[in-house]
Amino acid sequence: MEDFVIRTENLTKVYGHLFWKKKEASLEKLNLQIPRGSVFGFLGPNGAGKTTTIRLLMDLIKPSEGQAWVLGQPADNVKVKQRIGYLPDGPSFSTYLKAYEFLNICAKLLKIPSSERKKRIYEVLDIVKMTEHANSKLGGFSRGMIQRIGIAQSILNKPELLILDEPLVGLDPHGRQELKDIINEQKKAGTNVFFCSHILSDVEKICDHVGILSRGKMLCCGALTDLLSETGYRLVIKAGHDDIMQKFMPEASSSSKLSDGGWELVFKENVEVKKSIDELKREKPDAITYHPSKENLEDFFFRQIASTDKRI
Ligand SMILES: Nc1ncnc2c1ncn2[C@@H]1O[C@H](COP(=O)(O)OP(=O)(O)OP(=O)(O)O)[C@@H](O)[C@H]1O
Ligand SMILES: [Mg+2]
């Protein structure tokens, strides 16, 4: 079995016809190797080429150059589609169909045996919390409800690989939390997940690997734990030690009061502050704990994008 669920080699897309091509490639020489068992977040500003990449992986458009493999097969292999779940960007479905009818058509297309269809459709409706709307027409659904039905159809066939284009769009906070739970459950069940999103705080919580694309080029790609660097310290001061809080507060880049009455202060890398904290730890070991603090994904993302803007 191939170690990578998705692999691309110099994958390139220039839209347009032979004599009328766009000058700039929408995707340029993308080399991806996504390990099995990962939840991969594909990030990048509007127009970066994320949807283009997904359409190439789903063989909905053809590459201008290079090649892609999914689940060890070339992306244009028809059989491999049955092992993939796909949610397109901004899905729109026939408005006159009821949710159950729509999922039934999808189940038939996915060749789910007729004896199992009804049970599986109600299972996925339950997962996306839409059971009570099974017999309502899609035309009357809100954007978030359509998104839930899109997610339901993407997991109908218990896919080995889930490819989701902006799955969090249109969902309310509950819906976003539920989708995060669904992705975590899928991961536990052994499904590989590849999705793109602009909601970096959610991506940071769900994904173990990320890639950042900008203007068709991959800026960086890898395990989140490797990419996010340690940039300072997080000092937790136990309740009843406000004197320590007052001493360190002026140097802190952020502070928050904890529910137990203690404080959490975050510091940027600073030799003097680190020395003072080390001294304090020796003097009053029970009053504080401190850990290295990592850069968050949002800061990392903007740092990467800013560095390319300078290069261009
Ligand atoms: N069918 C098309 N014909 C011509 N150009 C296209 C087509 N689809 C996309 N593009 C161009 O390709 C580039 C990448 O678009 P793409 O939709 O892949 O970006 P994206 O990263 O998904 O953006 P978003 O975050 O807005 O969804 C853009 O410059 C876009 O204008
Ligand atoms: Mg897109």
Side-chain angles (χ1 to χ4, degrees):
M1 202 197 310
E2 189 171 273
D3 291 337
F4 304 113
V5 270
I6 292 177
R7 186 159 72 83
T8 68
E9 244 178 49
N10 292 331
L11 193 65
T12 300
K13 180 70 187 173
V14 184
Y15 284 102
H17 295 294
L18 203 53
F19 299 107
W20 206 250
K21 287 198 171 179
K22 278 181 79 169
K23 282 195 189 109
E24 236 181 83
S26 293
L27 188 68
E28 200 175 325
K29 296 192 187 307
L30 178 72
N31 290 299
L32 263 183
Q33 291 189 334
I34 300 183
R36 276 193 179 266
S38 51
V39 176
F40 185 92
F42 201 32
L43 313 174
N46 292 131
K50 304 178 296 296
T51 298
T52 299
T53 306
I54 286 182
R55 289 189 181 140
L56 288 164
L57 294 175
M58 292 303 299
D59 193 39
L60 297 171
I61 53 173
K62 296 288 176 192
S64 312
E65 205 188 309
Q67 212 183 338
W69 291 263
V70 277
L71 298 170
Q73 301 297 322
D76 60 1
N77 179 308
V78 178
K79 276 198 169 160
V80 82
K81 297 282 180 302
Q82 283 176 23
R83 297 158 58 200
I84 302 174
Y86 169 53
L87 174 73
D89 183 22
S92 66
F93 308 125
S94 305
T95 50
Y96 61 89
L97 286 174
K98 292 177 181 166
Y100 182 90
E101 290 169 343
F102 167 70
L103 291 171
N104 199 33
I105 293 172
C106 298
K108 280 184 192 167
L109 290 172
L110 289 163
K111 298 196 168 50
I112 296 175
S114 54
S115 56
E116 292 170 26
R117 265 181 231 149
K118 187 171 178 186
K119 182 168 166 276
R120 183 62 189 151
I121 291 170
Y122 276 103
E123 269 171 14
V124 295
L125 282 170
D126 182 50
I127 291 173
V128 300
K129 308 270 187 306
M130 289 291 285
T131 311
E132 61 179 298
H133 303 288
N135 289 310
S136 306
K137 286 199 172 161
L138 297 176
F141 282 6
S142 70
R143 188 166 147 181
M145 290 162 86
I146 288 288
Q147 193 73 344
R148 284 167 191 255
I149 295 297
I151 293 159
Q153 67 76 29
S154 73
I155 54 174
L156 255 180
N157 56 339
K158 300 188 179 165
E160 279 171 61
L161 170 64
L162 247 185
I163 298 184
L164 309 170
D165 197 345
E166 309 268 2
L168 297 156
V169 162
L171 297 178
D172 61 20
H174 272 108
R176 273 168 52 193
Q177 186 53 50
E178 282 157 17
L179 181 70
K180 282 186 266 182
D181 294 342
I182 292 171
I183 292 180
N184 280 329
E185 288 302 315
Q186 292 291 318
K187 187 185 174 177
K188 272 193 222 153
T191 311
N192 303 277
V193 185
F194 178 98
F195 77 102
C196 59
S197 176
H198 293 291
I199 307 176
L200 302 178
S201 53
D202 284 341
V203 171
E204 189 170 354
K205 285 186 197 119
I206 310 170
C207 298
D208 41 53
H209 288 71
V210 296
I212 300 180
L213 198 66
S214 177
R215 304 183 192 196
K217 295 187 186 112
M218 188 66 111
L219 302 182
C220 61
C221 186
L224 255 186
T225 45
D226 296 338
L227 293 176
L228 302 185
S229 50
E230 285 171 8
T231 54
Y233 331 100
R234 212 158 45 83
L235 174 67
V236 176
I237 304 165
K238 303 256 167 73
H241 294 281
D242 282 8
D243 53 326
I244 299 177
M245 182 273 290
Q246 275 154 12
K247 177 177 170 197
F248 283 95
M249 182 74 98
E251 303 293 339
S253 55
S254 73
S255 64
S256 47
K257 188 155 178 119
L258 304 174
S259 55
D260 65 359
W263 286 84
E264 182 180 277
L265 306 184
V266 177
F267 301 93
K268 295 237 179 303
E269 193 81 51
N270 179 328
V271 179
E272 288 306 310
V273 172
K274 176 79 169 40
K275 236 165 87 183
S276 306
I277 294 176
D278 284 339
E279 270 170 31
L280 183 65
K281 185 73 191 160
R282 280 193 293 275
E283 286 165 19
K284 296 182 176 174
D286 298 331
I288 61 162
T289 55
Y290 75 100
H291 323 268
S293 84
K294 288 212 160 197
E295 185 176 33
N296 66 31
L297 182 57
E298 195 156 317
D299 291 343
F300 178 75
F301 177 85
F302 285 119
R303 191 157 60 79
Q304 293 298 321
I305 298 293
S307 69
T308 41
D309 285 349
K310 273 182 212 143
R311 287 203 289 269
I312 288 167

